[in-house]
Protein backbone atom coordinates (compact mmCIF):
# COMPACT_ATOMS: atom_id res chain seq x y z
CA UNK A 1 0.00 0.00 0.00
CA UNK A 2 1.35 3.42 -0.97
CA UNK A 3 0.44 6.38 1.23
CA UNK A 4 0.66 10.03 0.24
CA UNK A 5 0.30 12.93 2.69
CA UNK A 6 -0.79 16.48 1.92
CA UNK A 7 -0.89 19.62 4.05
CA UNK A 8 -4.02 21.75 4.04
CA UNK A 9 -4.88 25.02 5.77
CA UNK A 10 -7.05 24.60 8.80
CA UNK A 11 -7.33 24.73 12.56
CA UNK A 12 -5.69 22.18 14.83
CA UNK A 13 -8.08 19.90 16.70
CA UNK A 14 -8.50 21.08 20.29
CA UNK A 15 -8.06 18.59 23.07
CA UNK A 16 -5.58 17.09 25.50
CA UNK A 17 -2.85 14.54 24.74
CA UNK A 18 -1.84 12.55 27.80
CA UNK A 19 0.65 9.78 28.42
CA UNK A 20 -0.59 7.41 31.12
CA UNK A 21 2.54 5.84 32.61
CA UNK A 22 0.72 2.97 34.34
CA UNK A 23 -0.89 1.98 31.02
CA UNK A 24 2.20 2.75 28.87
CA UNK A 25 -0.02 4.58 26.43
CA UNK A 26 -1.07 7.86 24.87
CA UNK A 27 -4.67 9.00 25.11
CA UNK A 28 -6.35 11.92 23.34
CA UNK A 29 -9.41 13.68 24.76
CA UNK A 30 -11.17 15.93 22.24
CA UNK A 31 -12.78 19.15 23.48
CA UNK A 32 -15.55 19.41 20.85
CA UNK A 33 -17.06 16.03 19.96
CA UNK A 34 -19.37 17.52 17.31
CA UNK A 35 -16.37 18.97 15.46
CA UNK A 36 -14.61 15.61 15.72
CA UNK A 37 -17.68 13.91 14.22
CA UNK A 38 -17.56 16.36 11.28
CA UNK A 39 -13.86 15.68 10.75
CA UNK A 40 -14.42 11.91 10.84
CA UNK A 41 -17.34 11.96 8.40
CA UNK A 42 -19.80 9.13 7.79
CA UNK A 43 -17.35 6.33 7.00
CA UNK A 44 -15.75 5.83 10.41
CA UNK A 45 -12.09 5.76 11.38
CA UNK A 46 -8.95 3.78 10.82
CA UNK A 47 -5.43 4.15 12.18
CA UNK A 48 -2.01 4.53 10.67
CA UNK A 49 0.25 2.41 12.85
CA UNK A 50 3.85 3.08 13.87
CA UNK A 51 4.72 -0.05 15.86
CA UNK A 52 1.92 0.30 18.43
CA UNK A 53 1.47 4.08 18.25
CA UNK A 54 -1.62 4.97 16.25
CA UNK A 55 -2.57 8.02 14.23
CA UNK A 56 -6.36 8.21 14.05
CA UNK A 57 -7.70 8.95 10.55
CA UNK A 58 -11.22 9.81 9.40
CA UNK A 59 -11.81 7.46 6.44
CA UNK A 60 -14.16 9.75 4.48
CA UNK A 61 -11.78 12.73 4.20
CA UNK A 62 -8.47 11.01 5.00
CA UNK A 63 -7.81 13.57 7.73
CA UNK A 64 -5.20 12.59 10.32
CA UNK A 65 -6.82 13.60 13.61
CA UNK A 66 -4.57 12.80 16.60
CA UNK A 67 -2.21 10.22 18.12
CA UNK A 68 -3.06 7.55 20.67
CA UNK A 69 -2.16 4.02 21.69
CA UNK A 70 0.13 1.73 23.60
CA UNK A 71 3.73 2.95 23.34
CA UNK A 72 5.93 1.82 26.28
CA UNK A 73 8.62 4.23 27.47
CA UNK A 74 11.07 1.34 27.86
CA UNK A 75 11.73 1.51 24.11
CA UNK A 76 12.39 5.26 24.05
CA UNK A 77 15.87 6.79 23.95
CA UNK A 78 16.49 9.92 26.00
CA UNK A 79 17.97 12.94 24.23
CA UNK A 80 17.69 16.71 23.96
CA UNK A 81 14.94 17.73 21.53
CA UNK A 82 13.85 21.04 20.10
CA UNK A 83 10.46 21.00 18.45
CA UNK A 84 10.53 22.68 15.06
CA UNK A 85 8.34 25.65 14.31
CA UNK A 86 4.99 24.16 13.38
CA UNK A 87 2.08 25.78 11.58
CA UNK A 88 -1.48 24.90 12.59
CA UNK A 89 -3.28 23.01 9.88
CA UNK A 90 -4.57 19.69 8.65
CA UNK A 91 -2.82 16.71 7.12
CA UNK A 92 -4.66 14.30 4.86
CA UNK A 93 -3.58 10.86 3.74
CA UNK A 94 -4.44 9.22 0.43
CA UNK A 95 -3.81 5.61 -0.45
CA UNK A 96 -3.66 3.57 -3.63
CA UNK A 97 -5.92 1.10 -1.79
CA UNK A 98 -9.12 2.00 0.02
CA UNK A 99 -8.83 2.85 3.69
CA UNK A 100 -11.30 0.70 5.59
CA UNK A 101 -12.94 1.57 8.90
CA UNK A 102 -11.34 -0.32 11.77
CA UNK A 103 -8.54 -1.82 9.64
CA UNK A 104 -5.21 -0.33 10.71
CA UNK A 105 -2.52 0.43 8.14
CA UNK A 106 1.17 0.08 9.12
CA UNK A 107 3.35 2.96 7.98
CA UNK A 108 5.96 1.67 5.53
CA UNK A 109 9.65 2.41 5.66
CA UNK A 110 12.56 2.03 8.00
CA UNK A 111 12.19 1.37 11.70
CA UNK A 112 10.59 4.27 13.53
CA UNK A 113 12.51 5.31 16.66
CA UNK A 114 11.11 7.15 19.66
CA UNK A 115 13.20 9.84 21.30
CA UNK A 116 12.19 11.58 24.52
CA UNK A 117 13.35 14.82 26.13
CA UNK A 118 12.27 14.67 29.80
CA UNK A 119 13.23 18.32 30.42
CA UNK A 120 10.88 19.56 27.68
CA UNK A 121 8.32 16.72 28.01
CA UNK A 122 8.68 16.25 24.25
CA UNK A 123 8.51 13.03 22.24
CA UNK A 124 9.70 12.60 18.63
CA UNK A 125 8.88 9.46 16.64
CA UNK A 126 10.68 9.20 13.30
CA UNK A 127 12.49 6.74 11.05
CA UNK A 128 15.26 9.16 10.13
CA UNK A 129 17.32 11.68 12.08
CA UNK A 130 16.82 14.52 9.60
CA UNK A 131 14.24 17.22 10.11
CA UNK A 132 11.16 17.43 7.92
CA UNK A 133 10.47 20.11 5.34
CA UNK A 134 7.24 21.17 7.09
CA UNK A 135 5.80 20.68 10.54
CA UNK A 136 2.02 20.88 10.93
CA UNK A 137 0.23 20.98 14.29
CA UNK A 138 -2.85 18.86 13.59
CA UNK A 139 -4.10 18.70 17.17
CA UNK A 140 -3.16 20.20 20.49
CA UNK A 141 -0.02 18.31 21.53
CA UNK A 142 0.35 16.51 18.17
CA UNK A 143 2.38 17.69 15.16
CA UNK A 144 3.37 15.86 11.98
CA UNK A 145 6.54 16.38 9.95
CA UNK A 146 6.05 16.12 6.21
CA UNK A 147 8.74 15.88 3.53
CA UNK A 148 7.37 15.93 0.00
CA UNK A 149 4.33 13.66 0.30
CA UNK A 150 5.82 11.45 3.05
CA UNK A 151 5.17 11.46 6.77
CA UNK A 152 8.63 11.69 8.35
CA UNK A 153 8.04 12.69 11.98
CA UNK A 154 5.46 12.68 14.73
CA UNK A 155 5.98 15.23 17.51
CA UNK A 156 4.07 14.68 20.75
CA UNK A 157 3.86 16.97 23.78
CA UNK A 158 1.65 15.13 26.25
CA UNK A 159 0.93 15.73 29.88
CA UNK A 160 2.42 12.78 31.78
CA UNK A 161 0.14 11.09 34.30
CA UNK A 162 0.68 8.17 36.62
Amino acid sequence: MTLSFSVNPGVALQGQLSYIRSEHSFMYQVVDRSRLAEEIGDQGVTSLVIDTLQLEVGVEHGRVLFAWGYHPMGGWSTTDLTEPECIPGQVSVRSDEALLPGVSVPLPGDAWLTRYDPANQLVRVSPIPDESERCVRIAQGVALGITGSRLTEVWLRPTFEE
Side-chain angles (χ1 to χ4, degrees):
M1 178 178 286
T2 303
L3 301 174
S4 175
F5 294 84
S6 60
V7 176
N8 308 300
V11 178
L13 194 62
Q14 294 299 304
Q16 178 63 50
L17 179 67
S18 302
Y19 186 84
I20 314 302
R21 292 178 195 268
S22 62
E23 297 177 8
H24 310 285
S25 61
F26 289 98
M27 178 180 71
Y28 200 85
Q29 292 289 329
V30 177
V31 170
D32 185 348
R33 290 210 167 276
S34 62
R35 175 164 178 233
L36 178 62
E38 289 173 18
E39 297 292 346
I40 290 172
D42 294 331
Q43 297 178 20
V45 295
T46 188
S47 291
L48 304 177
V49 181
I50 302 168
D51 192 19
T52 54
L53 179 67
Q54 300 190 50
L55 298 175
E56 192 82 344
V57 175
V59 172
E60 183 173 340
H61 307 294
R63 167 124 188 251
V64 184
L65 301 166
F66 53 82
W68 67 281
Y70 181 74
H71 202 68
M73 291 180 82
W76 304 1
S77 62
T78 303
T79 189
D80 293 330
L81 293 172
T82 303
E83 186 176 16
E85 188 172 323
C86 299
I87 60 166
Q90 299 177 353
V91 172
S92 296
V93 61
R94 297 288 175 244
S95 172
D96 60 346
E97 297 177 31
L99 296 176
L100 302 173
V103 179
S104 297
V105 176
L107 282 172
D110 299 329
W112 288 67
L113 305 173
T114 301
R115 296 164 193 87
Y116 170 56
D117 184 340
N120 291 320
Q121 300 292 287
L122 187 59
V123 178
R124 178 183 186 227
V125 183
S126 66
I128 55 176
D130 299 329
E131 291 185 12
S132 301
E133 291 174 355
R134 294 177 285 177
C135 183
V136 182
R137 184 160 322 286
I138 62 163
Q140 193 171 344
V142 182
L144 302 179
I146 306 293
T147 299
S149 62
R150 293 180 305 120
L151 176 67
T152 52
E153 296 177 294
V154 177
W155 288 93
L156 304 170
R157 188 179 295 275
T159 57
F160 284 84
E161 303 175 13
E162 294 306 316

